Amino acid sequence: MKIAIIGGGASGMTAALTARESGASVTIFERMDRVGKKLLSTGNGRCNITNKNVLEEKDGNLIHYYSDQPDFPRYALYNFNHLALLNEFSKLGVLFRCENGKYYPYSETASTILDVMRLRCERVGVKTICGAKIEQISKNSMGFDVCGEKFDRVIVAVGGSSSPHLGTDGSGYELLEMFGHHRNKIRPAITQIRTDNTLTRQLKGIKVYANVTLKQNSKAIRTDYGQVMFADYGISGPPVFQLSSGVRDGEKFKISLDLMPEFTHAEIHENIRKIIDNPFCNDLKADNLLSPMINKKVGQIIVKYCQIPLSTSADNLSAREIDRLVTTLKSFDLEVLGTKGFQNAQVTAGGILTKDFDNHTMESRLCKGLFACGEVLDVTGDCGGYNLQWAFSSGVMAGKAAVL
Ligand SMILES: Cc1cc2nc3c(=O)[nH]c(=O)nc-3n(C[C@H](O)[C@H](O)[C@H](O)COP(=O)(O)OP(=O)(O)OC[C@H]3O[C@@H](n4cnc5c(N)ncnc54)[C@H](O)[C@@H]3O)c2cc1C
């Protein structure tokens, strides 16, 4: 059995190892000069490889994965789950640490994961051809032709459209489209959000903890809590990444930041009163009013947002002005202009439609012997190790089935 794997990323290398260890002769074709380049950038260079909540469900649905066919990833994730993944690396001596459910190699470096995979590929005899961008796969009664070589099976593991500098510019979809597969509309996910920056650029570099809600027509679409960073283009940070896949071109959205999620309106109100009534704070002005509670610069921007002059004496603030400050602290709204695009996105939401693939084997229903795995398919995970887990799980399924 000769198998060609197009793409030497996380899913391609996993499929290659699985197929090779089941006895097949395997060749990886990778367009970059080395396999696994993207892996080195994952998790800010630390590689957030998986998450303890991979199989978390609500009402019978996996809650960390998105697809036009939400049930598609279930089989692979159950049959090669986060524990199986960690165990596979543990067998080779890799240690892990878990931070809030997210697993990272104990070494704190993504190269630990890549080195182990590359070495294992070498040892078991996976052939790797780098600098080979595949633009054509032909099929005849004898099998497939890739780069003038005959193969019995082909596994397409070319990733999506995000981070094109790492080899994934979206051109790989065509390798499946030429066999009649279709893709839905793709969008950048796990990326920064561009907003009206009149205020955010004045807060550039400042980090705050907030509940971040993406809203459309005043309706909350999704909320996430965590550290948000202000930037000259808008906002960034884990909760922003999480919401970014919900931003669609041509539609209007708002981001609402609750800058004090642990406190109610009434509690914040009472606290502002305490600050104003503090007998040790003579001649307190609006520009310093909020600094006992939140970052001083953020406090000043909130005051400005409420159209209160910074030089206003705190004693002279009306009840309505104080109410406005409290409301803004609980709901600091920014108009969304878009995301930072595929260039900066960690993953691609959407992809090749899964309805034409068997989710037990990852084999195409339109072309026998053709398989796909990883991000090229319409399966997207949340930020937090869910996407690599999908790449590994689907890679194992494809690698196993391709040998049969
Ligand atoms: C900066 C960054 C940080 C990330 N951090 C995390 C994280 O911490 N945790 C997590 O779970 N996920 C993370 N992700 C997402 C995760 O890396 C991907 O979802 C995952 O790598 C997808 O694996 P894949 O094998 O499907 O595709 P990829 O890893 O993208 O691999 C596809 C490979 O195919 C090659 N290729 C493409 N087209 C061709 C062609 N025509 N011919 C030959 N080769 C081709 C590409 O060069 C590439 O090497 C991150 C992504 C980025 C960009």
Side-chain angles (χ1 to χ4, degrees):
M1 176 68 69
K2 274 186 78 181
I3 301 177
I5 302 202
I6 321 296
S11 69
M13 277 194 282
T14 305
L17 282 167
T18 310
R20 177 72 192 126
E21 286 170 354
S22 308
S25 154
V26 179
T27 304
I28 296 179
F29 293 92
E30 167 55 50
R31 67 185 284 188
M32 303 292 276
D33 57 352
R34 288 176 67 186
V35 292
K37 273 205 160 169
K38 189 179 282 180
L39 264 174
L40 294 178
S41 305
T42 58
N44 267 332
R46 293 171 66 211
C47 184
N48 174 197
I49 190 166
T50 186
N51 195 298
K52 78 174 174 51
N53 298 318
V54 159
L55 301 179
E56 202 177 349
E57 294 195 17
K58 192 173 173 207
D59 303 328
N61 295 315
L62 292 165
I63 62 171
H64 297 291
Y65 290 92
Y66 311 89
S67 169
D68 276 358
Q69 277 199 304
D71 235 27
F72 186 85
R74 179 186 295 276
Y75 183 87
L77 293 171
Y78 267 88
N79 280 276
F80 189 78
N81 65 17
H82 57 296
L83 298 176
L85 172 58
L86 296 173
N87 187 43
E88 222 24 63
F89 280 96
S90 303
K91 282 197 256 170
L92 303 169
V94 179
L95 299 175
F96 292 96
R97 69 176 84 233
C98 184
E99 280 174 28
N100 302 323
K102 300 177 190 173
Y103 284 92
Y104 296 86
Y106 191 78
S107 65
E108 297 277 298
T109 48
S111 58
T112 294
I113 301 298
L114 179 57
D115 288 348
V116 163
M117 293 187 78
R118 272 216 325 256
L119 209 68
R120 196 164 154 196
C121 280
E122 257 173 55
R123 289 269 161 84
V124 300
V126 169
K127 192 171 159 197
T128 304
I129 303 178
C130 290
K133 181 176 180 192
I134 304 304
E135 289 174 336
Q136 180 71 39
I137 303 169
S138 357
K139 176 150 199 286
N140 57 38
S141 56
M142 304 294 288
F144 297 87
D145 187 311
V146 179
C147 261
E149 206 178 326
K150 299 266 171 274
F151 292 93
D152 303 298
R153 309 267 199 269
V154 173
I155 301 178
V156 176
V158 290
S161 264
S162 48
S163 295
H165 57 287
L166 297 171
T168 41
D169 57 6
S171 58
Y173 293 120
E174 288 163 25
L175 295 176
L176 291 169
E177 284 164 349
M178 61 181 70
F179 289 96
H181 287 282
H182 295 283
R183 68 175 161 89
N184 53 11
K185 199 162 167 25
I186 54 169
R187 11 178 239 291
I190 313 191
T191 184
Q192 304 89 338
I193 293 181
R194 291 185 299 113
T195 65
D196 172 5
N197 66 353
T198 325
L199 299 175
T200 65
R201 68 167 178 241
Q202 297 176 53
L203 297 172
K204 184 178 171 179
I206 294 176
K207 294 175 182 166
V208 294
Y209 280 89
N211 253 351
V212 188
T213 303
L214 182 68
K215 291 182 178 172
Q216 193 170 35
N217 302 325
S218 307
K219 194 173 154 229
I221 296 174
R222 187 173 173 184
T223 299
D224 217 274
Y225 172 77
Q227 195 177 53
V228 177
M229 191 166 88
F230 294 101
D232 45 11
Y233 56 80
I235 49 171
S236 168
V240 176
F241 288 167
Q242 211 68 286
L243 303 182
S244 59
S245 62
V247 174
R248 288 181 299 270
D249 283 348
E251 296 182 35
K252 281 192 183 286
F253 294 93
K254 271 200 172 135
I255 283 281
S256 183
L257 302 179
D258 179 349
L259 296 164
M260 297 183 70
E262 300 85 353
F263 298 90
T264 63
H265 280 72
E267 285 166 340
I268 300 173
H269 207 283
E270 195 184 317
N271 208 58
I272 292 180
R273 276 256 67 95
K274 258 193 227 166
I275 297 169
I276 294 174
D277 296 342
N278 179 355
F280 303 107
C281 242
N282 279 334
D283 198 23
L284 179 69
K285 298 277 190 289
D287 64 345
N288 272 324
L289 176 66
L290 301 178
S291 62
M293 297 175 5
I294 54 165
N295 176 291
K296 184 174 173 175
K297 186 83 190 147
V298 176
Q300 290 172 343
I301 292 291
I302 297 289
V303 170
K304 274 194 196 169
Y305 184 96
C306 294
Q307 293 173 336
I308 300 170
L310 290 177
S311 58
T312 311
S313 173
D315 284 331
N316 292 340
L317 287 172
S318 67
R320 262 176 93 171
E321 283 172 323
I322 295 175
D323 276 347
R324 251 196 348 257
L325 288 172
V326 177
T327 306
T328 308
L329 283 165
K330 293 297 284 175
S331 180
F332 181 45
D333 287 353
L334 299 165
E335 192 191 332
V336 172
L337 303 179
T339 66
K340 284 281 276 175
F342 286 115
Q343 197 67 32
N344 296 284
Q346 293 190 10
V347 294
T348 305
I352 296 288
L353 295 180
T354 53
K355 70 178 177 57
D356 295 321
F357 286 86
D358 178 331
N359 71 342
H360 288 211
T361 61
M362 301 291 141
E363 187 172 16
S364 163
R365 296 188 200 281
L366 308 181
C367 174
K368 226 178 141 25
L370 179 71
F371 297 73
C373 54
E375 204 179 307
V376 69
L377 292 170
D378 168 31
V379 174
T380 313
D382 276 337
C383 180
Y386 299 100
N387 287 292
L388 280 175
Q389 177 69 50
W390 165 246
F392 286 113
S393 298
S394 57
V396 168
M397 295 306 120
K400 254 191 209 166
V403 177
L404 300 176

